[in-house]
Structures are given as C-alpha cells and as structure tokens.
Amino acid sequence: MTMTVTLYLLTLVLPLATILIVFGIRAHASVQQAKARAANDEAWRKLAESASAAQSQIVTSLAAMEASLADVRARMAAVETILKAVE
C-alpha cells in the first residue's frame, strides 16, 4: 500500500497546524488575561482614589463638628454660669 502525496502532506500539516492553533489560542488567552488584570488594577486604583477623597471629606466634616461641639460646650458653660448665679 502506497501513501499518496496528499495523504502524506495531511499527516504532516494537520498535527503542526493543530500545535500552532493551540499556541495561538494560549497566546490570545494570555493577552486577554493581561487586559483584564490591567482593567482590574485600574478599577482598584479608582476605588482607592475615591476612598481617599471620601476620607478627606470626612476629616473636614469631623473638624467642623468638633468646632460646633466646642461652641455648644462654651454656650452650655455660659448658661450654667448664669444659672448658678441666679440660684
């Protein structure tokens, strides 16, 4: 039984093509994974920036509340002094 040229070439080319396709798919998957990782890193960076901005706003609000509380305490002390003087 003799092997035809076409069959011979198919037996050589198909395994090599399969190997090339597998490597191509793996390379494509690696590229997609790298893109997804970069997008995820970008999302985490934006989240960190927004958390930092929120934290600075909280610090500002806390400082304003502390100032208001100090004012209320001063007024309360003045009212207590007046009430003690009235007794």
Side-chain angles (χ1 to χ4, degrees):
M1 299 207 172
T2 61
M3 199 182 229
T4 64
V5 174
T6 306
L7 186 59
Y8 177 72
L9 289 177
L10 278 176
T11 58
L12 288 177
V13 171
L14 286 179
L16 293 176
T18 302
I19 291 171
L20 288 176
I21 290 171
V22 167
F23 280 117
I25 290 172
R26 288 183 66 180
H28 179 70
S30 295
V31 168
Q32 293 300 323
Q33 189 177 28
K35 285 180 183 179
R37 196 174 303 127
N40 190 29
D41 290 346
E42 179 68 19
W44 278 109
R45 186 187 61 77
K46 286 181 181 179
L47 180 64
E49 286 177 357
S50 66
S52 176
Q55 187 177 11
S56 66
Q57 288 177 350
I58 289 170
V59 167
T60 303
S61 297
L62 184 60
M65 283 189 235
E66 287 175 350
S68 296
L69 183 59
D71 183 45
V72 168
R73 284 182 180 160
R75 288 182 184 186
M76 182 62 80
V79 169
E80 287 176 355
T81 305
I82 291 171
L83 288 176
K84 286 181 183 177
V86 170
E87 289 181 357

